[in-house]
Amino acid sequence: MTANLVSLFVGSQTVQFSTSTPPTGMLTIFDGNFSPNDTTSPVQVTLALPPFTRWNGVQPPGHAITALSTPSDCACPQILRYLDQTHLDGGQKTSVNIGLNLCLPTNSALPAQMPNGAVNAVPTGNDLCTDLSRSMGALAAVVPAQPSTPPPGSNSVDLYFVHSTATLLGTQTPTVTEFQLFNNLTGGNLPTTANSKLCLLVGPYYHVTTLPPGGTFIHQHQDFADYDIVQVMVPPAFTNPYVVPVSIQASTYTGPDNNMHSGPDGPRNLTATYTPSGNDFDQNSSSIAHPVSQIALDQLS
């Protein structure tokens, strides 16, 4: 059977959260097809919401959203999926409006700059997109300022992490990428008194192959376009830096042309958050969350 070649793209509009209590916002996702060939099967759209946000559960008209993962820790992203049933012709796109609520952390204020989420669109059925470079993108959100007053009797910490860009070499040996975790309040100040938590969003088109020490899968990818969510529990009173190694590797799939395919060359982003728990309270939440760059090379065509 000859595959139907399409050229998918996906994107979003920045979410502007209200100043109401609780704050709410609307996320607009759009997907489309640059090819002169119409899509003949639904386009599968998978998105990982920015940390500290959650879908409000309201189904948009004409689309059925499924929550693939809803972690109890709001610092970890929620993963949603829906099928766009539109037969998209060349240059056509459709949009879906998804209502969101803020999921306020209990051990810090919201970050001054919200970390990114992610979205991707892949073909199904006999449709085949051989260039997925336009079929993934980042989600952004702007939130109103939140109170940062620590609860009485809490222990102040200042958590942050650094990371070096790593290169993913196609489907070859997994690449180990390292995170270095710090608490800036040590010495005369109390160290962390409870486990702190590093949460990583990995994907799409690549996945975690080996969990780091203290790591668990909050969500493990079900297919090529899904995401991994890994949470690492960091022991209290750790010595700076606490190093977390994560092994990641490109995902592949067999297309309707019976050939092996993977994601495109180019940049990849992890989204990472590093948050306290227990009696610890982070008064400098601007450093607990940000995207982390990766580079992907030597992908299969």
Side-chain angles (χ1 to χ4, degrees), residues 8-238:
L8 300 181
F9 62 92
V10 70
S12 67
Q13 295 179 354
T14 298
V15 184
Q16 299 285 339
F17 276 92
S18 69
T19 57
S20 61
T21 303
T24 60
M26 188 69 70
L27 170 63
T28 299
I29 300 290
F30 60 84
D31 65 288
N33 175 27
F34 283 125
S35 172
N37 301 322
D38 294 3
T39 57
T40 58
S41 298
V43 174
Q44 177 183 276
V45 179
T46 309
L47 56 150
L49 297 181
F52 309 108
T53 68
R54 288 292 184 265
W55 173 41
N56 66 5
V58 177
Q59 295 286 359
H63 292 83
I65 294 177
T66 300
L68 300 185
S69 177
T70 305
S72 58
D73 184 351
C74 66
C76 294
Q78 182 182 32
I79 300 176
L80 307 177
R81 174 170 287 176
Y82 63 89
L83 293 176
D84 183 355
Q85 304 283 351
T86 310
H87 282 201
L88 299 166
D89 59 19
Q92 182 183 357
K93 69 178 182 181
T94 60
S95 61
V96 177
N97 294 321
I98 302 171
L100 301 183
N101 296 324
L102 280 184
C103 175
L104 300 177
T106 57
N107 294 86
S108 68
L110 282 171
Q113 181 175 353
M114 289 289 286
N116 290 341
V119 61
N120 74 86
V122 296
T124 64
N126 194 45
D127 294 342
L128 176 65
C129 182
T130 57
D131 180 6
L132 292 171
S133 61
R134 294 184 295 259
S135 71
M136 59 183 177
L139 307 180
V142 177
V143 300
Q146 300 293 314
S148 59
T149 304
S154 60
N155 176 56
S156 293
V157 296
D158 183 4
L159 302 182
Y160 69 97
F161 64 89
V162 296
H163 175 269
S164 299
T165 299
T167 301
L168 312 178
L169 297 177
T171 56
Q172 300 176 23
T173 302
T175 296
V176 177
T177 182
E178 283 191 351
F179 290 79
Q180 295 186 10
L181 313 182
F182 297 84
N183 175 22
N184 212 29
L185 295 182
T186 57
N189 297 284
L190 287 174
T192 54
T193 60
N195 289 326
S196 49
K197 298 174 286 186
L198 176 69
C199 182
L200 307 176
L201 173 73
V202 180
Y205 315 152
Y206 65 104
H207 60 271
V208 174
T209 58
T210 304
L211 286 170
T216 57
F217 279 111
I218 302 297
H219 176 75
Q220 196 164 9
H221 70 284
Q222 303 174 12
D223 50 45
F224 171 75
D226 199 359
Y227 300 81
D228 284 338
I229 302 176
V230 173
Q231 189 170 73
V232 181
M233 303 301 289
V234 181
F238 62 86

